[in-house]
Each structure stands twice: as structure tokens, then as C-alpha cells.
Amino acid sequence: MIGTIVNTAAILAGSGIGACVRKGLGERYQDALYNAMGLAACGLGANAIVQNMPKSSFPVLFIISLAAGSFLGTMADLMGRFERLTKRFSKGNLGQGLSTAILLFCIGTLSILGPMESALRGNNTYLFTNATLDFVTSLVLASTYGIGIALSAAVLFLWQGSIYLFSGALSQFLTEELLTEISLVGGFLIFSSGLSILKIKDCKSLNMLPALFIPVLWFLLKP
């Protein structure tokens, strides 16, 4: 699990450095970072959509996933619960930043295939690459939202650790087709998170999180 440990440490380090930088920034510069982070999230989300949509074998599945997932997440009020929880530990809109961080760090091919490659082949290349990207991202996010972004490191460790432990069983199920559908839906979630940061539209991205499990359910049930 050395790759996952390095990835987690990279997020903690980036969050610590970013939080220190944030203390010296005025409101005008913090606003500029909000805009930069929003645009970056939109760009990363759009890139995931453009890359995976042509490869999708089920063109309507992402629509069903987003609709059903949003309905279930809104019913459970995931965003509201998450925001109330984060407000106990920090002032401001940490919930928005933390939800964006979790989506960026956990929903991606490197973060899913990386632990499997590490467990099955001893290859940590994916995770080391992911660690570099997450270090930079966590630094920018923490310089915008504060040290609370470091909490996403715990989520990433549990996420990648679970995949690592169950990689033998998951390798038979996580086909390229399924990863394409998950990445496509994930791209929309990251893009919606960017729109929320830019205050264009509050999509309540965390309420849409169950959408990621609809493709998994579809692949389990389809003949």
C-alpha cells in the first residue's frame, strides 16, 4: 500500500502548504483563487466527459444515472448533512471545497486502477502520478478553503485502501466498459462542482454522488 500512503501524504503536505499560503492572502486574491479553482474543475470535468462519451456503450446510461442519483441524493439531503457536519469544524464554505476535493481525488481512472495495479502487480506508477497531481490540487484548494481540505486525505486513504484490499475480486468486475461509464458520470459531477464554485449554478454536487453507483448497478443486473 506504499502508493496509497504516498498519495495520502501528498494531499496532507499540499493542504498544509496551501493553508499557510492562505494566511497571507487578501480577500481579492482569495476570490481570484476561487475563480481559478472553479475554472479548473469545469475544465477537468469537461475533459472527462469529452474523453469518455465517445467510448460509452450505453449512450443514455449517464442521463439515467444523473437523474436517479440526484433524486436519491436530494432525498437523503447529502449536501445539507455534509455542510452541517463541516460547519462544526470550520467557518465558511469548507463543505463546498471538501466535496470538490473528494470528487477530484477519488473519481478518476488513476485513483481506481492505481490501487489495483499496486496490489496485483506491485506497480505504483499510477498512484505516484496521482500523488503528484493531488499535491498540486490540494495546495490550491487549501489556499482557497483552508486546512480543512486535509480531511479529504482520510477519504482517499479509505477509498484506495478498500480497492487495494478487494482488488482480486474487483479486477474481474471493473471492466474498461464500466470504468468508462463511471468516469463519464464523474466528469459531470466535477463539472457541476466547478459551476457551483464559480457561482453560476449551485448544483449541490454532493447530492448527485449516488449517480456514480447507478452504472455499477446496471452492470450487475444486465444480462
Side-chain angles (χ1 to χ4, degrees):
M1 284 197 39
I2 185 64
T4 293
I5 292 171
V6 169
N7 202 162
T8 303
I11 294 174
L12 291 173
S15 299
I17 296 170
C20 292
V21 171
R22 184 174 189 256
K23 294 176 181 177
L25 293 176
E27 185 177 346
R28 184 169 58 135
Y29 297 103
Q30 288 185 23
D31 287 342
L33 285 174
Y34 276 118
N35 291 335
M37 202 62 248
L39 288 171
C42 284
L44 289 169
N47 182 60
I49 293 168
V50 170
Q51 280 190 336
N52 290 286
M53 191 173 286
K55 296 187 290 185
S56 174
S57 303
F58 309 96
V60 185
L61 182 58
F62 78 91
I63 300 175
I64 297 172
S65 299
L66 290 171
S70 298
F71 181 84
L72 293 172
T74 301
M75 183 185 296
D77 191 24
L78 295 180
M79 193 70 191
R81 293 172 187 269
F82 190 70
E83 287 179 342
R84 287 191 290 274
L85 179 63
T86 53
K87 281 179 181 178
R88 294 181 184 178
F89 303 100
S90 176
K91 296 179 181 179
N93 53 352
L94 174 61
Q96 183 185 68
L98 201 50
S99 63
T100 301
I102 291 170
L103 286 170
L104 289 172
F105 296 154
C106 297
I107 309 305
T109 303
L110 290 176
S111 197
I112 295 173
L113 289 182
M116 293 176 61
E117 278 286 310
S118 179
L120 299 175
R121 299 183 177 87
N123 178 16
N124 290 302
T125 304
Y126 284 174
L127 289 176
F128 290 157
T129 303
N130 206 47
T132 305
L133 297 171
D134 289 351
F135 171 78
V136 176
T137 305
S138 61
L139 194 156
V140 176
L141 280 168
S143 66
T144 308
Y145 294 99
I147 190 62
I149 293 299
L151 293 172
S152 62
V155 178
L156 176 112
F157 183 81
L158 293 173
W159 169 253
Q160 291 189 357
S162 298
I163 295 174
Y164 182 93
L165 291 173
F166 298 104
S167 57
L170 289 173
S171 62
Q172 304 299 319
F173 180 66
L174 284 175
T175 62
E176 187 175 342
E177 275 189 327
L178 176 54
L179 284 174
T180 294
E181 302 303 331
I182 292 175
S183 297
L184 177 56
V185 174
F188 278 101
L189 298 192
I190 294 171
F191 186 82
S192 71
S193 185
L195 293 179
S196 297
I197 295 173
L198 292 170
K199 297 181 180 178
I200 295 174
K201 171 68 177 177
D202 185 5
C203 300
K204 300 188 184 299
S205 304
L206 211 62
N207 279 348
M208 302 165 71
L209 200 57
L212 291 168
F213 299 99
I214 305 300
V216 177
L217 186 62
W218 166 258
F219 274 75
L220 283 172
L221 296 177
K222 78 181 183 70

